Amino acid sequence: MKILPLELRKASYSVRGTQILKDLSIQLTAGSRTVVLGANGAGKSSFLRLCHGLLQPTKGEVIWYGNADAKLYQAFVFQRPILLRRSAIKNVVFALDAMGKSDGSSLERGMEALTTVGLAGKCHQQARSLSIGEQQKLAIARATALSPEVLFLDEPTSSLDPEATTEVEHLINRLHEAGTKIVMTTHNLRQAKRLADDVVFIHKGAILETSLAKDFFEAPKSKEAASFLC
Amino acid sequence: MRSLWEAMATAFDLIWSFDPALIEIVGLSLYISFTALLLSAVIGLPLGALLATKTFPGRQLLIALVNALFGLPAVVVGLLVYLMLSRTGPLGALGLLYTPSAMIIAQAILITPLVTALARQTLLSFWEEYDEQLRSLGLTPVTAIPTLLWEARFALSVVLLAAFGRAIAEVGTVMIVGGNIEHVTRVMTTSIALETSKGNLNLAVALGIVLLLISLSVNLLSQTASSISVRNQGSTA
């Protein structure tokens, strides 16, 4: 492992005096698919952003224990795909170049990533003219082309239809099988049951529970989690 | 006095026959305004992008200053440039007063705040959209600027066309720093003012028509760029 494990040590995040995340302490290790659950506004997305470095803790620490530059071995897929106004392949190549991972073969690596998500045939199509499901798959291709050790996904299927959702879930599973650490949020409990190996439950900005998915869904420890699952 | 129609007919003759005097004046006008636009784009676009993406001490003050300069009266710009370039001014030794260079400087000073302010406004919405994605890919608010400028190129071309429209239609500033010297600094707007005051409406009307055509072309180009920009927004909802 190059960058894992990741530890949050009493990490908090506040905006203009309002505490969004409170004293989060957790260690994320390689291997499992971690699903972050919680009600709307609980702080799931902020938690992911804090881990990825898009937000800086106002208190506490976010520590990557590996030797490599953590930025280079993680990627983020947003709830709403944010694509550049250029072709699908150019979006992937841009990411590789920006992260300094082109090695003169960014086109080949880009095509490989597009093939993985089934978009090779649309590589020259304008990214923003793709369907929303295809756009999300492209966003995943762009992220996976970077060969991340950790892939953060913030409600990646929330705006997709059932068919596209299934495809994206297959992609996530394939990435996991290939050794990528998955950390994702979802508000879809069925999806969480399908994908999660372990669960982090966040309530009002605090981590109330971290447990194996099976244990969480069968016997949640906190009354807030029990109420959330009802 | 000739009728307006006679003046217009003669004006069209001047245009169709590519009258050398007319071509010289139009050519100089375009050269000066395009060069000023280029200068203002080189300064204003990155500065506008920086003000849109980066938070730094004094940013709000700089934004307020740019916005204030945006509304600066053209003749005041002309006067300031005149004072700077006049023989007793701090840059008098350069001998630029009453040259096309002085006119370019004045026009650039006039439109750079416009380019900066409108570019910032345009790029703010692009930055709001791309901020997290670009930072996730390791870019910073500063290193993301070239990408942002490229992504917003069609929207920014509308900004540049608006700035060009203001520059080419400017009269007070270029009159003060250019002096309206025949074959040297005489441009369309200053010629129109001069020829009209002399009662020589033929050239004035011909230049007026050319200026109108340029203005119309700029507007058409601006609309086209705006349409492309809107179409390029695409569907990401």
Side-chain angles (χ1 to χ4, degrees):
Chain A
M1 288 295 117
K2 290 175 178 138
I3 59 172
L4 285 169
L6 161 68
E7 184 180 358
L8 270 65
R9 199 180 286 169
K10 287 193 167 296
S12 298
Y13 178 70
S14 306
V15 180
R16 287 183 285 274
T18 305
Q19 203 160 36
I20 310 294
L21 297 171
K22 296 172 206 163
D23 290 331
L24 305 186
S25 290
I26 189 174
Q27 194 168 74
L28 297 174
T29 52
S32 59
R33 289 164 299 180
T34 301
V35 172
V36 184
L37 290 175
N40 285 340
K44 304 187 293 292
S45 297
S46 299
F47 169 72
L48 245 59
R49 282 164 169 76
L50 194 73
C51 292
H52 185 50
L54 289 174
L55 297 178
Q56 296 304 315
T58 44
K59 232 175 67 186
E61 288 175 289
V62 176
I63 307 161
W64 293 90
Y65 281 104
N67 297 320
D69 180 356
K71 266 283 173 204
L72 295 176
Y73 294 95
Q74 47 175 313
F76 201 106
V77 173
F78 294 89
Q79 182 176 356
R80 177 179 154 273
I82 304 166
L83 300 170
L84 300 175
R85 291 157 170 80
R86 51 189 85 179
S87 69
I89 183 67
K90 283 185 178 169
N91 264 275
V92 183
V93 169
F94 174 85
L96 285 164
D97 291 343
M99 294 288 274
K101 293 190 172 182
S102 52
D103 301 332
S105 61
S106 50
L107 204 60
E108 290 79 5
R109 286 180 67 176
M111 281 309 294
E112 204 177 300
L114 288 182
T115 306
T116 309
V117 301
L119 285 177
K122 296 188 174 182
C123 62
H124 295 302
Q125 195 170 321
Q126 280 297 309
R128 286 166 173 253
S129 68
L130 297 169
S131 71
I132 188 70
E134 289 171 331
Q135 288 189 28
Q136 192 60 297
K137 283 197 277 184
L138 173 56
I140 292 173
R142 179 173 60 187
T144 57
L146 302 170
S147 309
E149 188 177 311
V150 185
L151 179 60
F152 296 101
L153 302 108
D154 186 13
E155 301 198 19
T157 61
S158 65
S159 52
L160 306 187
D161 62 31
E163 191 184 343
T165 298
T166 307
E167 286 179 39
V168 168
E169 285 182 10
H170 285 321
L171 276 174
I172 292 169
N173 280 332
R174 288 219 300 274
L175 290 166
H176 167 63
E177 283 158 16
T180 308
K181 164 76 179 177
I182 303 290
V183 185
M184 67 176 280
T185 65
T186 181
H187 60 260
N188 181 337
L189 287 177
R190 285 183 186 169
Q191 182 177 59
K193 282 177 186 169
R194 284 194 297 271
L195 293 178
D197 294 315
D198 45 53
V199 167
V200 175
F201 179 70
I202 297 185
H203 180 73
K204 292 185 179 172
I207 294 177
L208 289 195
E209 201 164 332
T210 52
S211 51
L212 292 174
K214 188 172 169 293
D215 298 341
F216 178 80
F217 288 114
E218 283 178 3
K221 291 173 202 152
S222 63
K223 66 176 191 307
E224 288 85 356
S227 159
F228 175 73
L229 290 173
C230 283
Chain B
M1 188 181 165
R2 293 182 186 186
S3 73
L4 177 64
W5 294 115
E6 277 177 308
M8 284 191 79
T10 317
F12 275 113
D13 278 346
L14 288 173
I15 294 169
W16 299 140
S17 63
F18 289 99
D19 178 71
L22 182 83
I23 297 299
E24 183 188 88
I25 292 168
V26 173
L28 184 64
S29 299
L30 291 173
Y31 163 70
I32 287 171
S33 295
F34 269 122
T35 312
L37 181 68
L38 189 69
L39 278 176
S40 69
V42 167
I43 298 165
L45 292 181
L47 182 58
L50 192 70
L51 291 173
T53 62
K54 179 92 177 135
T55 309
F56 54 87
R59 175 174 173 258
Q60 288 304 326
L61 191 70
L62 197 54
I63 292 171
L65 184 69
V66 166
N67 287 340
L69 290 173
F70 187 172
L72 202 64
V75 283
V76 175
V77 173
L79 182 61
L80 289 172
V81 176
Y82 177 88
L83 292 172
M84 296 292 283
L85 298 180
S86 65
R87 204 188 296 177
T88 53
L91 301 174
L94 297 174
L96 291 176
L97 197 62
Y98 303 136
T99 66
S101 298
M103 297 160 81
I104 289 168
I105 292 167
Q107 282 197 0
I109 290 173
L110 188 69
I111 63 174
T112 298
L114 183 147
V115 171
T116 308
L118 294 183
R120 185 188 80 86
Q121 200 59 43
T122 303
L123 292 168
L124 260 180
S125 60
F126 278 80
W127 182 240
E128 277 169 16
E129 181 186 351
Y130 286 128
D131 172 14
E132 287 196 319
Q133 181 63 68
L134 293 181
R135 284 196 294 123
S136 171
L137 293 173
L139 299 177
T140 65
V142 175
T143 57
I145 286 175
T147 305
L148 214 56
L149 290 173
W150 178 252
E151 290 298 306
R153 60 195 180 279
F154 293 110
L156 290 174
S157 67
V158 179
V159 172
L160 294 181
L161 286 166
F164 178 76
R166 178 159 197 211
I168 195 107
E170 213 308 293
V171 55
T173 315
V174 289
M175 184 79 90
I176 293 171
V177 301
N180 199 19
I181 303 166
E182 194 173 13
H183 304 306
V184 181
T185 57
R186 188 160 295 174
V187 290
M188 284 192 282
T189 49
T190 56
S191 291
I192 291 170
L194 179 70
E195 298 303 328
T196 306
S197 69
K198 282 163 48 185
N200 178 14
L201 291 182
N202 299 343
L203 188 59
V205 172
L207 287 166
I209 291 168
V210 173
L211 195 56
L212 273 174
L213 287 173
I214 290 172
S215 174
L216 196 65
S217 307
V218 166
N219 273 304
L220 284 172
L221 279 172
S222 175
Q223 275 184 24
T224 309
S226 182
S227 308
I228 293 172
S229 174
V230 169
R231 202 165 57 231
N232 255 22
Q233 296 294 319
S235 143
T236 53

